[in-house]
Amino acid sequence: MPVTAYDWINIGAAIWLFAAWIGYARFARHRARTDHCLASVLHIYRKSWMIEMLGRQNRIADTALIASLERNVSFLASTAILIIAGLITIMASIDKVYLTISALPFANESMSARQLQLKVILLLLIYVYAFFTLTWAMRQYGFCAILFGAAPAHDAPIDEEDRRRYAISTAKIIDQAGHSYNYGLRAYYFSLAVLPWFFNTWLFISAVAIVVGVLYRREFRSSTLQALLREIKQRETTDA
């Protein structure tokens, strides 16, 4: 089939999705080095948590917290599998789905069954990526549980510098797990931006821009971040 002008618009829209997704990820990593964000602030709290954990005799609460974090990731990973199964089912009956969507109000009359199939494949790839990223986060939280078990006792005769180094290393693993979870969560956000594409390409392009704005607002300008920062500044003032 010849490539139409509408096909080129859709190709450009798909490129816009990945450019915005990858571009924001790189921007967030670079900006986190010079400005406060949820990831950088939570790293401070994680280091504090691990230092406190090594000083406690009873660490049941700490292992329960790690298990809770792992359950959150496990829920999204399990949901991704269910969505992947649903999308594969849609692929098997794409003609019926196309007729159903075409009958909906505000349906895109220019969209062909082939274009619908490609959009479903794109959603499928996004959730496959989300599944792999989230399961990697689950494994890293499992590594953290092992590090908790191998941690020196609170009264072990070891140097304080070694104890602090162990705490920072453990906090770094939790950080990596948190980053993987964040990447998987972003995949969910951008997958939702794909949904308007079934009705209007320009609406999809706008939805991608909105998702980027929401991610930036929550990671760099949210009230939650300001509350976390206030607590850190209060601790620094108290210690001084």
Side-chain angles (χ1 to χ4, degrees), residues 50-61:
M50 290 301 100
I51 292 171
E52 292 295 328
M53 183 272 294
L54 289 179
R56 282 194 282 266
Q57 180 178 4
N58 189 334
R59 297 168 181 171
I60 295 177

Side-chain angles (χ1 to χ4, degrees), residues 216-233:
Y216 174 79
R217 176 74 175 79
R218 292 184 176 181
E219 292 189 37
F220 293 93
R221 293 293 180 264
S222 65
S223 57
T224 300
L225 174 61
Q226 299 306 317
L228 292 170
L229 279 173
R230 280 197 298 271
E231 179 60 27
I232 290 176
K233 292 176 181 178

Side-chain angles (χ1 to χ4, degrees), residues 67-138:
S68 176
L69 293 172
E70 188 174 1
R71 280 195 299 272
N72 291 337
V73 182
S74 175
F75 170 76
L76 287 182
S78 301
T79 304
I81 280 291
L82 295 176
I83 295 173
I84 289 170
L87 292 172
I88 292 175
T89 303
I90 290 174
M91 291 289 296
S93 55
I94 196 68
D95 292 331
K96 294 180 180 178
V97 174
Y98 175 71
L99 292 175
T100 302
I101 292 179
S102 299
L104 293 175
F106 310 109
N108 189 347
E109 297 178 357
S110 302
M111 182 177 65
S112 64
R114 177 176 63 88
Q115 291 166 348
L116 173 62
Q117 189 175 37
L118 291 174
K119 292 172 185 178
V120 174
I121 290 174
L122 176 62
L123 271 177
L124 182 61
L125 293 175
I126 290 175
Y127 279 104
V128 167
Y129 167 79
F131 173 76
F132 277 101
T133 306
L134 292 167
T135 50
W136 177 232
M138 289 172 57

Side-chain angles (χ1 to χ4, degrees), residues 2-236:
V3 179
T4 65
Y6 183 74
D7 288 330
W8 284 115
I9 293 175
N10 280 279
I11 291 171
I15 293 173
W16 161 242
L17 168 66
F18 289 109
W21 189 347
I22 298 171
Y24 177 77
R26 292 186 175 181
F27 164 80
R29 284 198 301 268
H30 178 75
R31 184 68 179 270
R33 298 170 187 162
T34 58
D35 194 8
H36 291 296
C37 68
L38 287 177
S40 61
V41 171
L42 286 175
H43 177 65
I44 298 174
Y45 279 98
R46 285 164 181 150
K47 285 197 298 184
S48 177
W49 174 20
M50 290 301 100
I51 292 171
E52 292 295 328
M53 183 272 294
L54 289 179
R56 282 194 282 266
Q57 180 178 4
N58 189 334
R59 297 168 181 171
I60 295 177
D62 302 297
T63 55
L65 285 172
I66 284 292
S68 176
L69 293 172
E70 188 174 1
R71 280 195 299 272
N72 291 337
V73 182
S74 175
F75 170 76
L76 287 182
S78 301
T79 304
I81 280 291
L82 295 176
I83 295 173
I84 289 170
L87 292 172
I88 292 175
T89 303
I90 290 174
M91 291 289 296
S93 55
I94 196 68
D95 292 331
K96 294 180 180 178
V97 174
Y98 175 71
L99 292 175
T100 302
I101 292 179
S102 299
L104 293 175
F106 310 109
N108 189 347
E109 297 178 357
S110 302
M111 182 177 65
S112 64
R114 177 176 63 88
Q115 291 166 348
L116 173 62
Q117 189 175 37
L118 291 174
K119 292 172 185 178
V120 174
I121 290 174
L122 176 62
L123 271 177
L124 182 61
L125 293 175
I126 290 175
Y127 279 104
V128 167
Y129 167 79
F131 173 76
F132 277 101
T133 306
L134 292 167
T135 50
W136 177 232
M138 289 172 57
R139 289 195 64 190
Q140 290 178 100
Y141 280 126
F143 301 157
C144 295
I146 294 173
L147 289 172
F148 278 21
H154 74 288
D155 55 354
I158 63 173
D159 186 72
E160 284 300 318
E161 186 61 30
D162 292 336
R163 186 184 295 271
R164 181 176 178 82
R165 184 165 53 249
Y166 192 92
I168 292 174
S169 297
T170 306
K172 185 64 176 176
I173 299 298
I174 300 177
D175 261 350
Q176 295 301 319
H179 289 322
S180 296
Y181 173 67
N182 197 22
Y183 296 151
L185 199 57
R186 285 179 190 169
Y188 268 80
Y189 275 69
F190 282 104
S191 71
L192 293 177
V194 174
L195 295 180
W197 202 3
F198 293 104
F199 301 97
N200 186 280
T201 303
W202 298 108
L203 187 61
F204 159 67
I205 293 172
S206 300
V208 171
I210 291 172
V211 166
V212 171
V214 169
L215 289 173
Y216 174 79
R217 176 74 175 79
R218 292 184 176 181
E219 292 189 37
F220 293 93
R221 293 293 180 264
S222 65
S223 57
T224 300
L225 174 61
Q226 299 306 317
L228 292 170
L229 279 173
R230 280 197 298 271
E231 179 60 27
I232 290 176
K233 292 176 181 178
Q234 182 63 35
R235 288 186 182 185
E236 292 175 349

